[in-house]
């Protein structure tokens, strides 16, 4: 995950054609620290720095929470999408359990 955040910061910076030095100055960090973030050498990026990046680039926090799949569609998968899928799976499991319980009930009634 740490490398993904660093790559996303680098992508934002490059898209805006901002040097590492200028971005580091605006984020109130050293250029070498920013380089380590972009290259995935910094293990933890504190929330205050993430907030500064968000404000500087005027983006949403969700930008950092989304990850790209490694398939040809390059579909973004966010934690929200995962939660929606889990909820749908649970609903399907509940329906199957209900069907199973009905079948068991029918079998018990037939044998009595």
């Amino acid at each position: 995950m740490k490398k993904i955040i660093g790559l996303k910061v680098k992508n934002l910076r490059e898209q805006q054609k901002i040097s590492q030095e200028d971005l580091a100055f605006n984020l109130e960090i050293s250029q070498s620290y920013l380089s380590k973030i972009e290259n995935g050498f910094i293990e933890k990026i504190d929330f205050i720095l993430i907030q500064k990046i968000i404000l500087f680039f005027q983006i949403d926090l969700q930008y950092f929470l989304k990850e790209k799949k490694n398939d040809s569609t390059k579909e973004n998968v966010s934690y929200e999408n995962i939660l929606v899928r889990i909820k749908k799976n649970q609903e399907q499991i509940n329906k199957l359990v209900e069907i199973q319980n009905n079948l068991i009930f029918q079998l018990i009634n037939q044998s009595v």
Side-chain angles (χ1 to χ4, degrees):
M1 182 76 174
K2 65 182 177 182
K3 289 184 179 183
I4 293 171
I5 290 176
L7 286 174
K8 288 185 176 200
V9 171
K10 184 177 183 176
N11 287 338
L12 286 169
R13 181 180 62 76
E14 289 177 345
Q15 287 172 0
Q16 301 273 333
K17 297 183 179 13
I18 299 170
S19 70
Q20 269 189 350
E21 186 176 273
D22 288 341
L23 180 58
F25 176 80
N26 282 288
L27 298 177
E28 300 173 332
I29 60 174
S30 70
Q31 184 271 327
S32 64
Y33 187 71
L34 177 58
S35 176
K36 289 176 183 176
I37 290 171
E38 290 185 353
N39 291 303
F41 294 116
I42 301 295
E43 289 194 23
K44 293 183 181 179
I45 301 172
D46 66 38
F47 185 76
I48 294 171
L49 180 55
I50 292 289
Q51 188 67 22
K52 287 179 181 180
I53 294 167
I54 288 168
L55 291 172
F56 181 83
F57 288 108
Q58 298 178 344
I59 58 171
D60 191 76
L61 178 61
Q62 289 298 317
Y63 174 79
F64 289 107
L65 300 177
K66 294 179 182 175
E67 293 187 44
K68 289 189 177 181
K69 277 186 171 182
N70 289 331
D71 64 10
S72 60
T73 62
K74 302 282 185 184
E75 176 187 339
N76 285 334
V77 178
S78 70
Y79 294 111
E80 291 173 10
N81 289 340
I82 293 170
L83 291 175
V84 167
R85 290 178 189 171
I86 290 171
K87 183 180 177 188
K88 286 180 182 179
N89 287 344
Q90 188 60 51
E91 289 171 355
Q92 290 176 338
I93 290 169
N94 290 342
K95 286 178 185 178
L96 290 172
V97 168
E98 185 179 336
I99 291 169
Q100 179 184 8
N101 288 341
N102 285 336
L103 288 172
I104 292 171
F105 181 75
Q106 288 175 6
L107 286 172
I108 291 172
N109 284 338
Q110 285 178 1
S111 63
V112 173

